[in-house]
Amino acid sequence: MPHASETRQSIIDAVLRIIGQDGIAALTNRRIAKEAGVSLGSVTYHFATQHELLRESLLHFVAEETRHFTALADACSDEQFDIGQAAEVVTRVAGGNAFDSRHIAPFELYVQAGRDERLRTAAAECFAAYDLLATRVLTHLGMPDPERLAGVAVALVFGQQLRRLATGAPAEDLVDTLLILTNFTPAQSS
C-alpha cells in the first residue's frame, strides 16, 4: 500500500499531466484519480479544493524548476564560459525539440496564476529562478547590466517557447533569437 506522501505525489503528477494534455478545465476528481491510479476519495482526502490542488501542483512544479534552473545557473560559474556554452544552456532550457505535456503544463499554470492571485507567489518564485539563470549567463557573456536584462531574456525565452508550442518551430529558432539579443550571430560564434 502506497505511503500518503507517495499518493499525494501521484495525484500532483497526474494533475500536471492532465493540465499539459487537456488544460485546467479538464481537471475532474474522477480523471485525476484514474490518471493517478488512486481512489476517488484519495483525491479529496489529500486536496480539499481545486485551488489547493492547483496551488500544490504549481508549487511542486516550481520546486522542480527552481532546483533545475539553480543547478544550471551554478554550472554557469566557469570562468571559461562562452557563447557556445550559453547556446547549450538555452537549448537545455528550451527542452530540446519535444513539446509534451510537461512542457505545456507550465503555460497553463502561469495563465491560471494570472487569473488567481493566490497562485502568483508560487509563480514569482519560479520566475526568480529563471531570472537568476539568465543573469548568470548574461554576466558570463559580458553583457552590460545583466540583472536588468535578465527579465527581458526570460520573457523572450517564454515568448519563443510559446511560439514553438503554437507553430511547431524548431528549438534552434530560440537559440538564434537569443544570440541576436547578445549581439552574436551563428557565424560569429563559429
Side-chain angles (χ1 to χ4, degrees), residues 52-109:
E52 183 184 346
L53 189 59
L54 288 173
R55 183 180 175 282
E56 291 302 313
S57 296
L58 180 58
L59 286 172
H60 171 74
F61 172 78
V62 165
E64 291 295 312
E65 287 287 274
T66 301
R67 214 173 359 267
H68 175 71
F69 285 105
T70 300
L72 279 174
D74 289 345
C76 293
S77 61
D78 180 8
E79 293 299 320
Q80 303 300 319
F81 191 82
D82 63 12
I83 194 67
Q85 289 169 303
E88 183 181 315
V89 168
V90 170
T91 301
R92 289 178 64 189
V93 168
N97 291 319
F99 243 124
D100 57 14
S101 63
R102 183 175 175 351
H103 293 91
I104 297 170
F107 290 101
E108 293 278 347
L109 288 167

Side-chain angles (χ1 to χ4, degrees), residues 84-153:
Q85 289 169 303
E88 183 181 315
V89 168
V90 170
T91 301
R92 289 178 64 189
V93 168
N97 291 319
F99 243 124
D100 57 14
S101 63
R102 183 175 175 351
H103 293 91
I104 297 170
F107 290 101
E108 293 278 347
L109 288 167
Y110 292 137
V111 168
Q112 188 64 26
R115 292 183 186 113
D116 185 345
E117 67 184 47
R118 298 172 295 179
L119 299 174
R120 290 185 188 153
T121 300
E125 289 175 27
C126 202
F127 277 96
Y130 299 150
D131 289 349
L132 173 64
L133 176 58
T135 299
R136 294 256 177 99
V137 169
L138 294 169
T139 297
H140 284 294
L141 292 176
M143 296 297 294
D145 205 2
E147 293 85 10
R148 189 167 153 240
L149 288 175
V152 174

